[in-house]
Each structure stands twice: as C-alpha cells, then as structure tokens.
Amino acid sequence: MSSSTGLRTGLQGRSVIVTGAGSGIGRAAALRFAEEGARVTLADLDREAVERTVRETETAGGTAQAVVGDLSDQEVVDRVVVTAVDAFGGLDVLVNNAGIMDRMSALAETDDAEWERVIRVNLTAPFLLTRAALPHMLAAGGGSIVFTASEASLRGSAAGAAYTASKHGVVGLTKSLAVMYRKEGIRANAIAPGATATNIRVDAQGRSHGPGTIGPYVALAGKVAAAEEQAAAIVFLASDAASNISGAILPVDNGWSAI
C-alpha cells in the first residue's frame, strides 16, 4: 500500500500471522503484507498450498514461514503463535481469515455435523487463535487483529444457517475485543467480503429449501471481487494508516450491503 498509495502502513519488520494463507484472500493478504516489509507466518490445512505461498512470498523478496494444521485444534493454534513469536521476536498482527462455507442449508435442513464443523472452523478457531495471541500483544503494548467476516455477517440472505450464525458471531467477537482491550492498545476490525473469486466450495443441495430461497438474494451481489481487493482492505485495517479505527466491520462488497 505504501508503495502505491503513499499511505504510511508502518508494517515494515512487523510479525504477522495470516490464516487460510494457502489460497484466495489469505494468500493475497500474505503477499500484500510481504510487499509492505512484514514478516509473515502462514497457517493452512493444505501443506502444498501454504508452502507454495511461502515460496511466492520469498520470491517477491518477503520473509515467510508456514505452519500446517487444523486451526480448530488447540495444539495447532499454540504452535502457530509460538512459531511466529520465536522466529520474529513477537506478534504484531493477527489475521483470522481461514473459513469454510456451509451447504446453504436452512435451519431445519442443517444437521449436527454441518453446524458443528462450520461453527468450529469459522468461529471457535478464530477465538482460540486470538486468545493465544493476545498475551503476546498485551505484553508488547498493543497489536492489530483483523477478522474475515462476510456479507452473511450483515444479513440473513447470503448463506445458510450455520455460516450466517458463524459470521455474525465473528462480528460480535470483533466488537467485544475492540471494547475490552481498547485501553491496552489492541485494535480489532473485520472485513465483510461480498462475492469474491476464491476456491472455497459451496456444496449446496439444489432442491433443498435453503438454496432455493437464498438464490434470488445472492443474485444481487453483482461484481465478483478479486481476492487482492479483499487483501488490500485487510492490510489497511491492520496498518498504522487505520490507527484510530477499531470495532469496525468494513463491507468490501461493491455496495451489496447498501441495497
């Protein structure tokens, strides 16, 4: 951002964790942070994908390392944070980006397995990682945490019951953090992406009630964003250019949320 917009990001040399960094928004954010001179720890379940992002980051002149594992597992969460702190001397920025979609299921169609997995990955995992990161940020006198929420965090017509509930939960977590730790120098914000070109799968059941009901509303999304457009918003919120912004939920949706 600083090289293209003139904004002072203050990210040079900072230690940053990005989850879901093997592809899509996470990969784009990792590369953008590296362009700003940050040192990035990249977490993803897909070893091949996240290691490819590390290579791309290093080829571009950045400093990166990978941690592979399921972020709904406390042991993996602890390993991600310890790896970042040990390698880079602390932790300044956490980007809770990793997530999965549901099947667009309406509540009555949502089985326990779908509900529990979506909530575990989309809401519990960011909670666990943020809880593990906070002591290091508090000891350093501050830090920035950015969540990837969703258009589904702003309305009830963009996804199924499980995903919608999980992303509304992410918004609540963001705002609670912003209030609870504002005096300690912790900033917490979230982006709310609209339709975005990523490899996230939507295994919708075509004849079920949920997809049939949601379809006309999702059609209002309009332009499909590039992952890099979402990444630019993440890096801005994480940076010193947003130093007085906390508790904000930023739609990055080409105006979908304004309809």
Side-chain angles (χ1 to χ4, degrees), residues 4 23-24 33 50 87 93-94 108 141 154 166 188 202 216 219 238 244 247 256:
S4 59
S23 62
F33 277 114
V50 74
V93 175
L94 168 62
L154 306 175
S166 73
V202 181
N244 199 42
W256 186 14

Side-chain angles (χ1 to χ4, degrees), residues 130-143:
T130 303
R131 186 176 64 180
L134 272 172
H136 300 281
M137 292 183 171
L138 292 170

Side-chain angles (χ1 to χ4, degrees), residues 154-181:
L154 306 175
R155 59 174 76 234
S157 57
Y163 187 85
T164 300
S166 73
K167 293 301 186 177
H168 274 69
V170 166
V171 166
L173 190 61
T174 302
K175 291 184 176 182
S176 177
L177 273 167
V179 172
M180 294 289 190
Y181 295 101

